[in-house]
Each structure stands twice: as C-alpha cells, then as structure tokens.
C-alpha cells in the first residue's frame, strides 16, 4: 500500500501513473483499476479523485500538456523568432506524438478528452501565431495572416508526424524538410533558413516522474 499523502500530492501521483500507462498502452486501454495497481492503492481511492475513467485520462492529458506549454510560452515570446520557428516546427520525440495521436483517436468517445484536446490545440496554434507575428515584426519574414499561417503549418506538422511516427512512411529528416520548405515559402524566408537554425528538439518530452 502506498504511503499516506496529502490530497494534492496524491492527485499528482495518480496523474503521473495514468500518463505512464497511457504512454505504454494508449488511452482506450487504461482503466481505473490499472491506475490503482500502478499507484499501489485500492480502486476506490482513485474514484475519490476522479469519478470516471474519462475524467481521469482527460485530467492526465491536461497535466502533461500544461507542463509542455510552460516551455512553449518561453519559446514563443523570448527566443529569437527564426530559431523559435525552427524549434516549433522540428519533429518532436516519438513519445510526444504517440500520446497526441492516441488522444485524437480516443477523443470522439470521450467528451472530457475532446474538450481538453481542442483547448490545447488552439493554445498551440496561438503560440505559433505569436512566433510568426514576431518574425514579421522583426522584418525577418512576412505574414498577412499569422493565425491562418499557424493553422496551416500546425496541420502540416501534425500530418507529417503521423506519417513519420505512426506508419514510418517518411524519415524524421524528410518530415522536417517538407515542413521547413513549406514554412519558408509561406513566410518569405530564404530556402534553408530553418534547416540551418534547426535545434535538437526538446518539446514534448512526456517522461513523468512519480511524485510519491
């Protein structure tokens, strides 16, 4: 049996355990009993914090994405805009996209997860639009519609990520090349600008430590 924890620490422990199971088994296969076993508590304790499995997995997704977005806000507002754009568009680690891909698949059957996914998707688009605004303001690129450009590039990044991570149709380098080329053409950047600025992707690290 797990040690006695205060409610906030126990809730974080439950969410961390849920994310470990989601990363391993996917949203659809995670049950409250699985999470209880992972934490080392009785099944009823999980229901004390989350009445349904749907609420639990949505809360876990929320927690993980919010942790990511803290770093994303720093990139969107403070990193030099060309470097920030390259960072944003570079393929993220496999674990990151597997969770997002699985969330997209589960969302039609889970209203709580659907709402969370929609909210975070719009947040990501907003942050990318801010990077594009800064690029335009600095005279390093051009955009008459940062929100529209962000929407298009987000869709392209997501589509290439599915092709790369889910089915292996393209390599990471090929996925990045397609996205970089499209972004450079749309935003008036010289060809090769983003490749030269290409960082080592660190966004989307879904490793969650147990706080027990």
């Amino acid at each position: 049996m797990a040690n006695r924890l205060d409610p906030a620490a126990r809730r974080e422990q439950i969410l961390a355990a849920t994310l470990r199971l989601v990363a391993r088994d996917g949203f659809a296969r995670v049950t409250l009993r699985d999470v209880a076993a992972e934490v080392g508590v009785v099944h009823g304790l999980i229901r004390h914090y989350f009445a349904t499995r749907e609420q639990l997995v949505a809360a876990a997704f929320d927690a993980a994405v919010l942790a990511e977005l803290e770093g994303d806000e720093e990139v969107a507002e403070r990193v030099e805009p060309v470097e920030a754009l390259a960072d944003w568009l570079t393929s993220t680690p496999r674990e990151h996209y597997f969770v997002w891909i699985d969330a997209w698949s589960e969302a039609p059957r889970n209203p709580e997860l659907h709402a969370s996914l929609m909210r975070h998707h719009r947040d990501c688009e907003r942050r990318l639009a801010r990077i594009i605004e800064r690029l335009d303001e600095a005279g390093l690129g051009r955009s008459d519609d940062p929100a529209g450009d962000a929407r298009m590039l987000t869709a392209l990044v997501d589509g290439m990520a599915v092709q790369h991570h889910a089915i292996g149709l393209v390599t990471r380098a090929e996925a990045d090349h397609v996205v970089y080329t499209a972004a450079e053409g749309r935003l008036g950047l010289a060809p090769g600008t983003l490749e030269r600025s290409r960082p080592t992707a660190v966004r989307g690290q879904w490793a969650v430590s147990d706080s027990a």
Side-chain angles (χ1 to χ4, degrees):
M1 188 65 65
N3 295 330
R4 186 179 299 276
L5 297 175
D6 67 68
R10 179 66 77 195
R11 188 177 190 277
E12 289 182 7
Q13 184 190 48
I14 291 169
L15 293 176
T18 303
L19 279 174
R20 290 196 297 272
L21 293 174
V22 165
R24 189 186 73 196
D25 300 328
F27 283 97
R29 295 183 61 184
V30 173
T31 68
L32 296 182
R33 292 189 183 279
D34 292 336
V35 175
E38 180 76 7
V39 176
V41 298
V42 297
H43 176 229
L45 182 62
I46 305 298
R47 286 194 177 276
H48 176 73
Y49 290 88
F50 302 97
T52 66
R53 183 193 73 86
E54 289 73 20
Q55 290 177 5
L56 174 57
V57 297
F61 183 77
D62 259 342
V65 175
L66 286 172
E68 286 185 354
L69 290 180
E70 289 182 7
D72 289 346
E73 192 71 35
E74 177 75 15
V75 169
E77 293 294 340
R78 293 181 175 82
V79 175
E80 190 275 328
V82 171
E83 293 180 4
L85 183 64
D87 176 86
W88 196 275
L89 298 180
T90 296
S91 298
T92 52
R94 181 177 184 269
E95 293 79 6
H96 165 84
Y97 258 110
F98 266 24
V99 174
W100 277 84
I101 290 167
D102 199 55
W104 293 331
S105 176
E106 177 71 7
R109 295 175 293 278
N110 183 336
E112 289 89 351
L113 182 59
H114 181 273
S116 175
L117 189 60
M118 288 290 289
R119 183 170 61 256
H120 294 311
H121 186 81
R122 295 308 181 201
D123 280 344
C124 288
E125 285 187 352
R126 179 177 59 80
R127 285 170 170 80
L128 177 54
R130 178 56 187 151
I131 293 172
I132 294 170
E133 286 176 355
R134 292 178 58 226
L135 191 78
D136 185 73
E137 290 165 358
L140 300 171
R142 62 177 183 271
S143 175
D144 296 326
D145 182 11
D149 291 337
R151 190 172 303 114
M152 185 281 287
L153 290 173
T154 297
L156 181 58
V157 168
D158 288 342
M160 295 308 298
V162 171
Q163 291 188 29
H164 170 47
H165 291 300
I167 58 178
L169 184 63
V170 297
T171 66
R172 173 177 169 174
E174 289 170 336
D176 287 344
H177 179 71
V178 168
V179 174
Y180 293 161
T181 300
E184 288 163 354
R186 191 172 182 97
L187 301 176
L189 298 169
T193 296
L194 296 176
E195 179 67 33
R196 289 190 295 272
S197 300
R198 178 179 180 156
T200 300
V202 295
R203 294 178 57 241
Q205 298 292 345
W206 285 74
V208 180
S209 61
D210 195 315
S211 60

